[in-house]
Amino acid sequence: MNVVTPIGEFASRRDLAVDGEHPRNVIADIASRPRGQARIITVANEKGGVGKSTVAFHLAVALADTGHKVLAIDLDRRQQTLTRTLTARGGTARRLGVRLPLPKHLVLQQQSGAQLCQEIARAGWDCDFIVIDAAGHDSPIARRAIALADLLVSPVNSSFADLDLLGRFHPVSNKLLGPGCFSAMVSELRSARAEVGLPALDWLVLQNRKRRETSKNQDRVENALRRLAPRLDFRLGAGLFERVAYRELFLLGLTHIDLKRIPELARTKTIATDEVSALLDDLAIDSEAENQLSVSVLGVGPGWARSAVPA
Ligand SMILES: Nc1ncnc2c1ncn2[C@@H]1O[C@H](COP(=O)(O)OP(=O)(O)OP(=O)(O)O)[C@@H](O)[C@H]1O
Ligand SMILES: [Mg+2]
């Protein structure tokens, strides 16, 4: 029989403390520390390869581009994808002789909750936003980063293998059976926050690598996410399409919104800029940042420049 289990009931049956620090302890520690003015955006999903670093990078750059002071913290000290692309960004700016907004960034070498809080206080004291990129697995430090966040951003690929971490669906009937392991953990942290009176954690889920052509799978995934959103209390963002440019510009530490600063590409038109702009809209931060970014949507450019920046 396919029974949809209430989220709270399902979550409370799991002993989340088995996998690490108990959510109540994590939250109690956070609540006891002074909190800076920066808004913390944690990009996390314990599924690997869903685009967390790509999204974290675009968010950090888009926020810096709109004049905000941004600190990017890379929790993945092994792969350091976010760090490598932000380092490449500095090199690209020097080689091209252009000024690019560059978020401050650091890798969390010592993976302790106390160290993360210290770095936020030390390096992020003068920042408006702190963007944290978590590694693609469950860990005490990823939980800590989620617990600290004002906004949790979770990219997912258009696949039920990815959705399984958010919600369990019946393979034949497609009925929702209950939350997945990641959403159960988020739910526990949210409850623990509520218990000590911390503000509610806003959760934004984004579909990444969306395909342009419609398919039954894509429809089913979108439908499943729409059903999950009210049950798990997340907002569903516009998401990102599958684009070669996200991979190629990433290597150079560039995003589409930088192209206006590079003379050879300044007139390149790419609709991916609109996607990055929509990413900021989905954060629902403030209308000023939104307006500034929408002004940066680029004009139509010459064919060679268009081909230099694949869609
Ligand atoms: N919208 C997109 N279009 C095309 N390629 C993408 C897109 N988003 C991400 N990718 C590519 O998918 C791969 C995984 O992306 P990324 O490294 O951002 O994932 P991740 O979730 O951070 O992975 P991990 O869990 O290992 O940290 C990379 O090769 C990246 O360039
Ligand atoms: Mg990553």
Side-chain angles (χ1 to χ4, degrees):
M1 194 168 67
N2 305 319
V3 181
V4 177
T5 314
I7 301 296
E9 189 189 319
F10 185 95
S12 62
R13 271 197 243 138
R14 295 187 70 225
D15 185 0
L16 290 166
V18 167
D19 302 325
E21 232 179 324
H22 195 284
R24 280 206 193 100
N25 296 346
V26 175
I27 297 295
D29 182 62
I30 285 168
S32 69
R33 292 174 190 270
R35 198 180 166 87
Q37 52 144 21
R39 273 180 280 183
I40 299 178
I41 302 173
T42 296
V43 185
N45 180 347
E46 61 186 78
K47 188 79 185 170
V50 290
K52 295 178 292 296
S53 301
T54 304
V55 167
F57 169 64
H58 282 81
L59 278 181
V61 169
L63 287 167
D65 188 67
T66 53
H68 293 101
K69 283 192 174 170
V70 182
L71 168 67
I73 302 182
D74 193 344
L75 296 187
D76 193 340
R77 69 180 164 190
R78 181 168 168 79
Q79 295 185 20
Q80 298 189 16
T81 310
L82 179 62
T83 306
R84 289 170 64 76
T85 196
L86 284 170
T87 306
R89 184 173 176 80
T92 300
R94 277 193 299 280
R95 276 197 304 279
L96 296 178
V98 290
R99 284 170 71 89
L100 298 175
L102 186 62
K104 289 197 276 188
H105 61 98
L106 62 91
V107 186
L108 193 76
Q109 294 295 355
Q110 198 190 318
Q111 303 260 301
S112 77
Q115 190 66 29
L116 178 59
C117 291
Q118 274 169 33
E119 291 294 9
I120 287 172
R122 185 189 64 79
W125 69 273
D126 62 341
C127 289
D128 305 307
F129 289 94
I130 297 175
V131 177
I132 305 178
D133 181 24
H137 54 84
D138 182 33
S139 65
I141 198 66
R143 290 179 183 207
R144 177 67 62 126
I146 294 168
L148 276 164
D150 297 294
L151 171 67
L152 167 64
V153 179
S154 301
V156 288
N157 283 325
S158 304
S159 146
F160 275 89
D162 277 26
L163 253 57
D164 197 53
L165 277 72
L166 295 181
R168 298 268 151 86
F169 289 87
H170 190 279
V172 179
S173 70
N174 221 16
K175 279 190 177 161
L176 176 60
L177 304 175
C181 56
F182 182 69
S183 56
M185 185 263 286
V186 172
S187 159
E188 283 276 312
L189 287 170
R190 280 173 145 177
S191 305
R193 275 170 72 129
E195 275 172 28
V196 298
L198 286 178
L201 169 64
D202 186 14
W203 189 10
L204 176 69
V205 173
L206 302 170
Q207 237 188 299
N208 187 25
R209 308 188 77 158
K210 291 194 292 185
R211 295 188 189 284
R212 268 164 271 194
E213 69 277 11
T214 52
S215 72
K216 272 193 180 157
N217 175 65
Q218 178 101 8
D219 289 349
R220 284 177 64 212
V221 167
E222 275 176 21
N223 186 276
L225 282 169
R226 274 197 294 274
R227 281 158 58 205
L228 272 175
R231 298 294 304 273
L232 298 178
D233 190 19
F234 63 71
R235 297 187 286 123
L236 201 51
L240 301 179
F241 280 89
E242 166 78 33
R243 293 184 194 281
V244 176
Y246 283 126
R247 294 197 289 266
E248 298 206 337
L249 290 177
F250 197 72
L251 273 178
L252 299 166
L254 293 175
T255 78
H256 301 86
I257 56 175
D258 297 316
L259 303 181
K260 64 182 183 288
R261 297 196 174 86
I262 300 170
E264 294 86 346
L265 300 175
R267 288 170 54 76
T268 304
K269 169 71 182 165
T270 162
I271 49 173
T273 314
D274 300 348
E275 263 174 45
V276 179
S277 175
L279 200 57
L280 272 201
D281 289 351
D282 284 334
L283 298 191
I285 40 166
D286 58 42
S287 54
E288 196 191 335
E290 195 179 297
N291 290 341
Q292 287 177 32
L293 188 67
S294 57
V295 171
S296 75
V297 174
L298 308 167
V300 179
W304 72 266
R306 268 204 300 276
S307 61
V309 185

